[in-house]
Amino acid sequence: MPVLASHRRIRSRSAKPSPAVGFTTAALAGVTLLSTQSATAAPSDPKPSIEEVQKKVDDLYRQAGSATQEYNKAKEATAEKRREVDSLFEEATTRAEKLNESRRALGAYAAAQYRTGAVTPTAALLFADSPQAYFDQTQLMDRMTDQQRTAVSDYETQRAAAAKQRAEATERLESLTDSQQALRISKQTVQTKLAEARALLSKLTAEEKARLAAIEREKEAEARRKAEAKAEAEARARAEAEAERQRRESEQPSPETGTGTGAEDGSYAAQADKVLAFARAQIGKPYVWGATGPSSYDCSGLTQAAWKAADVDLPRTTWDQVEVGRRVATADLLPGDLVFFYDDISHVGIYIGDGKMIHAPKPGTEVREESIYYMPIYGSVRPV
């Protein structure tokens, strides 16, 4: 008898991936994903060149210089507001004393009326919200002596003045608070700009720092060449002026009083000598933003202190100093003149002749002599 085939259905085994196959698939997927991301990711910003770093650092220092002038302006305004508030408080104290004297006088009248049994009118007056309105009653005014009426009038005057001064003091305090806020903001701005400049410089390699120093030397050399050219031009102008003076003296030997221009130039030169003597004595002292001496200076603090040595009071900021005196062309500069730089007038130096100046350059440097052509010139003034 033939053997019957089995009718049981043979179940096929489902193929399960081996662990090795699973890991390989995942790895391939990861590689594909990373490759796709790398292909679509935006390229990183290229590293700036040394020239770009120098330009950025110089710009940050200039912005810090401008913010320093904002700080100086806010500091000066804050000091002025504080003096006003202090003065108002002193006046308010004096006014309060006068008000108390008037109040004591009224109290004395009230006590006297109490002793005589007539307490009600004056006592009511002393404690009323509006004594003047109360005394407007004809009947009561008729019962008061002239001395009492004078005391009441004085009390009302002092009370009104005291209220006015309190309101004015409150307004000045609000203004002082605004000035203090401006001072804090400008200070923070200066610190932020300087920190950004330091951060940029700190990222440079030794080789890059050397290249940056070389660029600075080239910039200084170019500025010196321009200063030397100006010095030669000034020397020629002086020689020509001296030759012209001698020619006139030979043609007309008798003394003349002249128009006064020479005397005026001599007076300015005498003041300028004091300014330059002071400025030279500060060479080597550190630049500190917001400083006005005597151990450190910012740019406008130095010019202000130098001209103070010649008994000339200059404003605190470069923006105000540029408005003092009269404008002069670069070709007509005399020692003592102030030279301003950048479009935002954020820097100033004292001209010493031969295309050079004494100035307090920037944080990390000291007061020094330098060519006026090291920075872009905005304009110049003769303070007196």
Side-chain angles (χ1 to χ4, degrees), residues 119-130:
V119 66
T120 305
T122 304
L125 164 68
L126 183 61
F127 299 107
D129 291 334
S130 179

Side-chain angles (χ1 to χ4, degrees), residues 14-47:
S14 61
K16 294 183 180 180
S18 66
V21 173
F23 288 140
T24 302
T25 304
L28 289 173
V31 170
T32 303
L33 179 61
L34 288 174
S35 300
T36 304
Q37 289 177 338
S38 299
T40 58
S44 60
D45 294 333
K47 186 175 182 179

Side-chain angles (χ1 to χ4, degrees), residues 102-260:
S102 298
R103 186 179 286 113
R104 283 193 292 270
L106 288 180
Y109 290 135
Q113 289 184 352
Y114 177 79
R115 286 193 296 270
T116 59
V119 66
T120 305
T122 304
L125 164 68
L126 183 61
F127 299 107
D129 291 334
S130 179
Q132 188 59 56
Y134 185 77
F135 276 121
D136 282 342
Q137 301 177 48
T138 305
Q139 298 88 343
L140 181 58
M141 292 297 288
D142 289 340
R143 292 167 55 187
M144 298 178 67
T145 65
D146 290 341
Q147 189 175 11
Q148 288 173 320
R149 276 194 289 269
T150 299
V152 170
S153 177
D154 183 61
Y155 174 76
E156 281 298 298
T157 299
Q158 298 299 337
R159 189 167 73 164
K164 181 180 179 181
Q165 281 192 326
R166 283 195 298 270
E168 189 174 356
T170 300
E171 181 180 349
R172 289 291 193 280
L173 278 173
E174 292 175 354
S175 180
L176 174 60
T177 301
D178 292 341
S179 296
Q180 290 172 329
Q181 176 65 12
L183 186 65
R184 284 191 291 269
I185 292 173
S186 56
K187 181 177 181 179
Q188 184 178 6
T189 301
V190 174
Q191 293 173 333
T192 299
K193 298 300 181 184
L194 294 179
E196 289 179 21
R198 287 192 294 268
L200 275 175
L201 294 173
S202 67
K203 295 177 182 178
L204 298 179
T205 65
E207 181 182 355
E208 289 171 333
K209 290 178 180 178
R211 288 171 55 197
L212 182 61
I215 293 174
E216 284 292 329
R217 287 193 295 271
E218 291 175 6
K219 182 179 177 182
E220 291 170 0
E222 177 62 22
R224 280 196 300 271
R225 284 192 290 271
K226 291 182 179 180
E228 289 166 0
K230 179 165 176 56
E232 292 174 2
E234 290 179 359
R236 286 194 299 270
R238 287 193 297 268
E240 292 171 1
E242 178 61 18
E244 178 65 16
R245 184 188 65 80
Q246 292 179 1
R247 185 187 65 79
R248 289 182 179 180
E249 286 182 353
S250 64
E251 291 178 354
Q252 190 174 4
S254 59
E256 293 182 349
T257 56
T259 60

Side-chain angles (χ1 to χ4, degrees), residues 309-321:
D311 298 322
V312 175
D313 291 323
L314 292 182
R316 178 63 182 92
T317 69
T318 54
W319 304 322
D320 293 326
Q321 289 181 6

Side-chain angles (χ1 to χ4, degrees), residues 280-301:
R280 287 191 173 100
Q282 313 314 309
I283 290 177
K285 293 184 179 180
Y287 175 102
V288 175
W289 62 272
T292 56
S295 58
S296 59
Y297 297 90
D298 64 16
C299 65
S300 57

